[in-house]
Amino acid sequence: MPSLRTALLQSSGRPGAVAENLKVLDEAAARAAAAGAGLLVSPELFLTGYAIGDAVPVLAEPADGPGAEAVAEIAVRHGLAVLYGYPERDGQRIFNASQLIGPEGTRLANYRKTHLFGCFEQEWFTPGEQTVVQADLDGLRIGLLICYDVEFPENVRAHALAGTDLLLVPTAQMHPFQFVAESVVPVRAFESQMYVAYVNRTGPEGEFEFVGLSCLAGPDGTVRTRAGRGEELVLGEVDPEFLAASRAANPYLHDRRPGLYDSLA
């Protein structure tokens, strides 16, 4: 099975300007496709911006709304899958969501952030209730989490037990928590034997200072590609053969003793 070249778009776009952010995504998709990528991953709430305050309910839209249609056009135009973050409206509730659109423009998976971080998110968003959301792409099982979710090992382990090969984590990681990008994410990839694409915003936005450092971590705990602190598009390979060999050599999932862990729940 061939590798899936994965592009990580580290950018904050223009907070509050959906049309401008779609242009940034379109340009990144063109560059990613030209470099042979089959998947482009953008940061948390990339469609609208993160620190947009009162604009959250104004810019929130359904999972099949105009943003999804625009991203589907980008995916089809450039022939690759696209993962984007956005505020999802469902009736009176708003979720911090991410959606995976396939290269044919099909909506493959939609995930609602289950662990909300800080007062800002807890004020505007309803937490999701489904831990494991997956889709199949180019022979790989793709899983979705968002930012703070990946800091809970239970979430990543649940994906491992459900067969996730590549975990996509759009994020808005801020100072002074850069150790998550530097250390926690590679450990998560190793302990649950999967690839993890962690894709961050960058620079100042409202009261936040996003730290960049997006990465693709492999199941051996090494970082395959790493962005710096600024706007950047980086690419890395998700290799199914290496993943299978790593799982055979590191039998964490096989050696678990779930009967001993009942108290954790």
Side-chain angles (χ1 to χ4, degrees):
M1 187 183 300
S3 296
L4 174 63
R5 181 164 291 179
T6 301
L8 316 182
L9 172 60
Q10 181 167 286
S11 172
S12 290
R14 284 189 57 190
V18 173
E20 292 299 319
N21 294 333
L22 286 168
K23 288 181 182 178
V24 173
L25 193 64
D26 188 34
E27 292 169 359
R31 292 165 56 200
L39 170 64
L40 171 66
V41 185
S42 66
E44 182 175 3
L45 294 174
F46 183 75
L47 188 66
T48 59
Y50 183 88
I52 58 174
D54 293 345
V56 169
V58 176
L59 297 179
E61 63 176 63
D64 60 354
E69 294 177 0
V71 175
E73 292 175 1
I74 291 171
V76 170
R77 181 159 54 248
H78 301 291
L80 80 174
V82 179
L83 185 283
Y84 71 102
Y86 73 109
E88 179 196 354
R89 178 176 292 283
D90 184 356
Q92 297 301 310
R93 300 178 301 171
I94 300 174
F95 298 91
N96 184 338
S98 65
Q99 184 153 225
L100 179 64
I101 306 291
E104 297 84 17
T106 304
R107 295 170 49 237
L108 299 180
N110 188 74
Y111 172 75
R112 297 166 170 177
K113 190 174 186 178
T114 55
H115 295 73
L116 301 179
F117 179 80
C119 296
F120 170 75
E121 292 188 16
Q122 293 168 12
E123 176 182 0
W124 291 109
F125 298 109
T126 299
E129 295 295 334
Q130 188 173 354
T131 301
V132 177
V133 172
Q134 298 170 308
D136 293 322
L137 179 68
D138 291 353
L140 292 169
R141 180 63 54 86
I142 308 296
L144 308 181
L145 290 178
I146 298 174
C147 197
Y148 194 39
D149 290 330
V150 81
E151 298 177 38
F152 294 82
E154 300 90 344
N155 282 341
V156 184
R157 182 53 54 85
H159 269 277
L161 296 176
T164 292
D165 300 312
L166 168 61
L167 185 62
L168 307 183
V169 189
T171 190
Q173 183 63 66
M174 58 199 69
H175 178 82
F177 305 110
Q178 52 265 30
F179 65 88
V180 174
E182 295 169 337
S183 301
V184 173
V185 169
V187 169
R188 289 287 177 272
F190 179 68
E191 68 190 6
S192 282
Q193 287 298 297
M194 62 177 66
Y195 285 89
V196 179
Y198 186 80
V199 186
N200 200 9
R201 305 179 70 83
T202 180
E205 187 177 333
E207 63 186 284
F208 308 110
E209 177 72 31
F210 298 114
V211 300
L213 301 175
S214 301
C215 68
L216 176 67
D220 57 351
T222 64
V223 172
R224 296 299 197 273
T225 188
R226 167 83 73 186
R229 296 298 186 101
E231 302 269 338
E232 196 169 351
L233 182 73
V234 297
L235 296 99
E237 301 290 337
V238 176
D239 184 346
E241 291 186 6
F242 182 85
L243 178 59
S246 181
R247 286 173 170 171
N250 298 284
Y252 280 140
L253 301 183
H254 178 270
D255 291 347
R256 292 171 66 252
R257 298 180 62 192
L260 299 179
Y261 314 145
D262 290 345
S263 63
L264 295 179

